Amino acid sequence: MLADFVSTNREAIIAGTRERVASRAAPKPSEAELLNGIPIFLDQLGEALVRAQTSASTDHEQLSLSAARHGRDLLRMGLSIGQVVHDYGDVCQTVTSLAVAQNVPISTEDFKVLNLCLDDAIAEAVTEFSRSREGTIADAEQERLGTLAHELRNLLNAAMLAFELIKTGRVAVSGSTGQVLDRNLLGLRDLVDRSLADVRLDAGIEHRELIAVAELVEEIEIGASLQAKVQGLSLAVSSVDRTVWVEGDRQIIAAAVANLLQNAFKFTHKRTVVALRVRATADRVLFEIEDECGGLPPGKPENLFRSFAQRGSDHSGLGLGLSICRKAAQASAGLLHVRDLPGKGCVFTLDLPRKPPPPLLVVGGASGSGGPIAPRSGGAPNLGLLSRG
């Protein structure tokens, strides 16, 4: 019987399946899949075959319960749905191949049970896997919305209290209370901008266009300078060559650079300088934001880009800024990385592909002579050659 064959050759089947999975091009195998996932698949198949051996018909209900249980286990292990589906098939193919190699006869009934097991196992495991994953996402979204509401309320309450004090006439708008109002209103604006950028990225809403980097930086500098002043910091922005252009969603790229600046303002030491530089090569444009935070905390720098990750002792905000920046970079065919400056600070770099500037238009004047028409402020040339969306 096939159930006995699976039990007797368990280690050989696991080894053969691991070899088959390891050679798979896609989906890429993982260590958890090879070490733990494959034995789980095989044990589930063995349980189903034993039940079929002692029953006149396949017990679909018990198989479904077993598959659902294993689906939850696989989710906790970090396997993808693609890995689940492929690994069930790989286990069954290894079983049949080994049986043929050993000249072990497999009856028509055994093949029927094997196929039923495979069908039910994949259907139920994937269903439970998806259900559990959706529940995890829903929990994360609830936490995210709750944190957003909490942060909005804190900023709004502080701004309202400061405004009420100013209205009494007992404090000056230009004094400390006015600075509290400024700081919290800026925080509200940044939180809303960051949340809108995150929503657009998750929804895949993009309006791609050619963007003049010099003009983009000038726009970002206006708001960033005000925020730096409120926080008692200095902002140094380098000049940008007017021939440097990138392509992408203007709002998303601007939000990414602004988030990197806000992150620098949050962690740099008081009365220090945050620098925004743009370096361009023949094919890349690098937005560099350098702060004086004293250096990165211990651990892998990559962990900073996870959602809700926060560094240092200041846990204000949602911990989503760097995660949004990473998504913005990927949406723009770019990269985001960080370089530690031990004892001084760090440099975050948004690395985007460089694009050639749009062609200038030549339009005849009243006298019949023509001249080049340069792009308008905002990055779009005259006559609506490029739409800003």
Side-chain angles (χ1 to χ4, degrees):
M1 298 295 290
L2 191 57
D4 297 330
F5 175 80
V6 168
S7 176
T8 302
N9 294 275
R10 183 176 186 276
E11 295 306 318
I13 294 171
I14 290 175
T17 305
R18 283 175 174 161
E19 183 178 353
R20 183 186 295 270
V21 171
S23 64
R24 186 179 64 208
K28 288 289 186 181
S30 65
E31 184 177 354
E33 178 183 8
L34 293 170
L35 293 179
N36 302 313
I38 291 171
I40 288 177
F41 292 129
L42 184 59
D43 291 343
Q44 182 185 348
L45 177 62
E47 292 171 12
L49 291 170
V50 169
R51 282 195 298 272
Q53 184 176 331
T54 58
S55 174
S57 60
T58 303
D59 189 340
H60 290 273
E61 181 178 357
Q62 286 300 317
L63 181 58
S64 296
L65 291 173
S66 171
R69 184 180 72 251
H70 289 303
R72 288 190 293 271
D73 293 340
L74 298 170
L75 174 62
R76 285 193 291 268
M77 288 166 50
L79 270 67
S80 69
I81 289 180
Q83 289 172 316
V84 172
V85 172
H86 281 80
D87 286 356
Y88 273 123
D90 288 335
V91 167
C92 289
Q93 288 180 26
T94 302
V95 169
T96 53
S97 297
L98 188 60
V100 170
Q102 294 184 10
N103 293 318
V104 174
I106 301 179
S107 66
T108 302
E109 186 62 28
D110 278 341
F111 266 121
K112 180 181 178 181
V113 171
L114 183 63
N115 287 330
L116 284 173
C117 288
L118 179 63
D119 187 26
D120 279 0
I122 289 177
E124 290 301 323
V126 169
T127 298
E128 181 59 31
F129 186 100
S130 300
R131 186 185 301 119
S132 298
R133 184 175 182 272
E134 288 169 3
T136 300
I137 292 174
D139 290 343
E141 284 301 312
Q142 288 180 355
E143 178 185 359
R144 180 174 170 180
L145 286 173
T147 306
L148 174 61
H150 176 74
E151 192 68 18
L152 283 171
R153 184 185 63 187
N154 285 346
L155 292 168
L156 186 58
N157 282 344
M160 289 178 65
L161 287 171
F163 184 58
E164 287 298 323
L165 287 171
I166 291 172
K167 282 199 305 181
T168 65
R170 293 194 295 267
V171 296
V173 176
S174 59
S176 299
T177 305
Q179 291 179 5
V180 171
L181 179 60
D182 283 345
R183 186 165 55 250
N184 284 279
L185 288 176
L186 284 170
L188 281 169
R189 183 204 64 186
D190 295 338
L191 189 58
V192 170
D193 287 347
R194 187 162 57 245
S195 299
L196 287 174
D198 195 25
V199 168
R200 291 186 66 191
L201 284 165
D202 286 345
I205 301 172
E206 291 185 65
H207 301 289
R208 299 186 70 82
E209 60 177 313
L210 284 174
I211 303 167
V213 174
E215 295 176 357
L216 179 70
V217 169
E218 288 169 1
E219 293 171 7
I220 294 170
E221 183 181 1
I222 294 171
S225 296
L226 177 59
Q227 186 171 1
K229 182 179 179 181
V230 169
Q231 296 185 218
L233 303 169
S234 296
L235 175 65
V237 180
S238 64
S239 60
V240 183
D241 189 333
R242 295 279 169 179
T243 65
V244 177
W245 292 67
V246 294
E247 184 180 47
D249 186 300
R250 188 184 194 89
Q251 182 179 342
I252 287 175
I253 293 176
V257 177
N259 276 332
L260 291 173
L261 285 168
Q262 291 159 22
N263 184 72
F265 294 152
K266 180 177 179 179
F267 293 103
T268 198
H269 295 155
K270 295 296 182 183
R271 294 179 292 281
T272 59
V273 177
V274 171
L276 168 58
R277 298 185 295 268
V278 176
R279 294 193 297 111
T281 66
D283 58 352
R284 309 299 296 181
V285 178
L286 308 178
F287 296 81
E288 296 182 339
I289 292 85
E290 181 177 339
D291 62 33
E292 297 184 44
C293 64
L296 293 178
K300 295 182 179 180
E302 186 70 18
N303 293 336
L304 296 173
F305 300 109
R306 294 181 303 162
S307 295
F308 301 108
Q310 294 179 319
R311 60 185 176 115
S313 58
D314 185 350
H315 285 182
S316 62
L318 300 179
L320 292 173
L322 293 179
S323 172
I324 294 171
C325 293
R326 167 63 62 84
K327 289 191 289 186
Q330 293 171 343
S332 306
L335 302 169
L336 179 64
H337 45 86
V338 60
R339 184 172 80 254
D340 189 20
L341 304 175
K344 180 185 179 185
C346 61
V347 181
F348 283 88
T349 302
L350 176 62
D351 180 349
L352 301 180
R354 182 173 181 173
K355 297 294 181 180
L360 299 179
L361 298 181
V362 179
V363 180
S367 63
S369 61
I373 305 282
R376 293 178 300 180
S377 176
N382 282 326
L383 305 185
L385 181 63
L386 292 175
S387 171
R388 288 184 55 186

